[in-house]
Amino acid sequence: MLRRSLENRDAQTRQLQDAVTNVEKHFGELCQIFAAYVRKTARLRDKADLLVNEINVYASTETPKLKQGLKTFADEFAKLQDYRQAEVLKNNEQKVERLEAKVVEPLKAYGTIVKMKRDDLKATLTARNREAKQLTQLERTRQRNPSDRHVIAETELQRATMDAARTSRHLEETIDSFEKQKIKDIKTIFSEFITIEMLFHGKALEVYTAAYQNIQKIDEEEDLEVFRNSLYPPDYSSRLDIVRANSKSPLQRSLSAKAY
């Protein structure tokens, strides 16, 4: 009976060990990947600044409407990057900083939490091993059947069993609390991540909509007319008539004069 109870509790302890190991593995992976995501988000600002600068440089070489459209787009895109980096989302935290504080750090904290739970598991295993050892010793003593040593072994086993029961209850309580807190933290961490991204992308949609509308306002015909006029100076037509007149033969000039 006692031996079966020990086996059941050992199976329970292994299950708890697996639960802690699972959290240690996957929370560690999530922490690293979220941290990498945050770093890439921060670096995206640098690339975006280069793009804004190049658009402005190119726009300065173009015709008026295209120049205006490109510069307006660059301004809108720059606004979005400012929002990505510096727009206050909540409690004066920047997006990158808030991702660090609300997503990465809570996941990182589980390294310490898991270590504490492993210590609890270790204490429980030590107590159960002591209990199992005392039980084995009692069984051997019973086989030899010396009454005085039999009583001593039973006393030692009772103490070991009480100690194992106490540590088991403590472990069950702490693991139950750990599991409850884990689920709550997962909900909180992912909700924070989604909220931060929704706030940013909601603002991004507004900015991109304005940028799209400004690009659509570029008047191709007006800019094409400006381009054509830049190729041909204002007095181009009159000078072209003079060139054509000078290129005529004497007979053609005489006929043209009679026609007038």
Side-chain angles (χ1 to χ4, degrees):
M1 182 75 177
L2 184 56
R3 179 69 65 180
R4 182 176 295 179
S5 175
L6 279 171
E7 291 174 353
N8 290 338
R9 281 186 285 171
D10 285 344
Q12 181 189 42
T13 302
R14 284 194 295 272
Q15 185 178 349
L16 295 175
Q17 283 180 311
D18 290 343
V20 171
T21 300
N22 190 58
V23 169
E24 182 179 36
K25 175 186 175 183
H26 292 291
F27 273 49
E29 290 291 335
L30 286 170
C31 183
Q32 289 182 22
I33 295 170
F34 270 123
Y37 176 86
V38 171
R39 289 193 298 272
K40 285 189 178 294
T41 299
R43 287 200 294 269
L44 188 58
R45 170 64 193 266
D46 297 333
K47 298 297 183 183
D49 287 344
L50 291 174
L51 180 58
V52 168
N53 183 64
E54 178 56 30
I55 291 172
N56 277 317
V57 170
Y58 168 57
S60 65
T61 68
E62 277 296 350
T63 47
K65 291 297 180 182
L66 184 55
K67 178 192 292 186
Q68 181 183 352
L70 288 172
K71 282 188 171 293
T72 303
F73 170 82
D75 289 343
E76 295 291 348
F77 194 66
K79 275 185 203 174
L80 181 60
Q81 306 318 310
D82 289 341
Y83 185 81
R84 184 193 302 277
Q85 185 69 20
E87 182 71 14
V88 175
L89 294 172
K90 186 179 181 183
N91 299 328
N92 296 322
E93 292 174 320
Q94 297 175 357
K95 179 188 176 185
V96 171
E97 292 173 353
R98 193 172 178 215
L99 281 170
E100 283 278 5
K102 301 295 185 181
V103 178
V104 177
E105 288 302 321
L107 286 170
K108 193 184 295 184
Y110 266 80
T112 303
I113 294 171
V114 165
K115 184 178 182 301
M116 292 170 60
K117 300 311 165 190
R118 285 203 180 282
D119 290 341
D120 289 335
L121 280 165
K122 185 177 179 181
T124 301
L125 286 171
T126 300
R128 288 184 181 175
N129 288 338
R130 190 182 304 117
E131 182 185 19
K133 183 179 179 181
Q134 291 298 330
L135 177 59
T136 301
Q137 186 174 338
L138 175 60
E139 289 172 345
R140 287 175 181 172
T141 303
R142 281 174 174 169
Q143 289 173 1
R144 295 169 189 168
N145 201 25
S147 59
D148 55 338
R149 295 183 63 187
H150 182 268
V151 172
I152 294 171
E154 284 188 345
T155 302
E156 291 297 325
L157 175 60
Q158 187 177 10
R159 289 176 183 172
T161 300
M162 290 175 62
D163 186 39
R166 179 180 56 79
T167 56
S168 293
R169 282 196 302 271
H170 174 70
L171 178 64
E172 288 168 7
E173 290 170 0
T174 57
I175 291 296
D176 186 79
S177 175
F178 169 75
E179 194 69 15
K180 181 179 180 181
Q181 189 63 45
K182 179 197 73 176
I183 296 169
K184 182 179 178 182
D185 286 343
I186 288 174
K187 288 176 65 177
T188 300
I189 289 167
F190 279 85
S191 294
E192 288 287 355
F193 176 75
I194 293 166
T195 300
I196 293 167
E197 292 298 317
M198 284 176 63
L199 286 169
F200 171 72
H201 288 291
K203 180 66 176 180
L205 183 59
E206 293 178 20
V207 174
Y208 278 130
T209 299
Y212 178 84
Q213 291 171 345
N214 284 314
I215 287 293
Q216 293 304 307
K217 288 178 183 177
I218 295 173
D219 190 326
E220 301 100 310
E221 292 302 323
E222 186 172 335
D223 269 9
L224 187 58
E225 187 64 29
V226 171
F227 174 74
R228 287 168 177 165
N229 289 337
S230 70
L231 291 177
Y232 308 119
D235 60 345
Y236 176 79
S237 296
S238 59
R239 288 193 290 109
L240 183 61
D241 290 340
I242 293 171
V243 170
R244 286 172 178 168
N246 291 334
S247 65
K248 291 179 180 180
S249 64
L251 177 59
Q252 287 175 321
R253 284 198 294 271
S254 175
L255 292 173
S256 295
K258 289 179 179 179
Y260 288 106

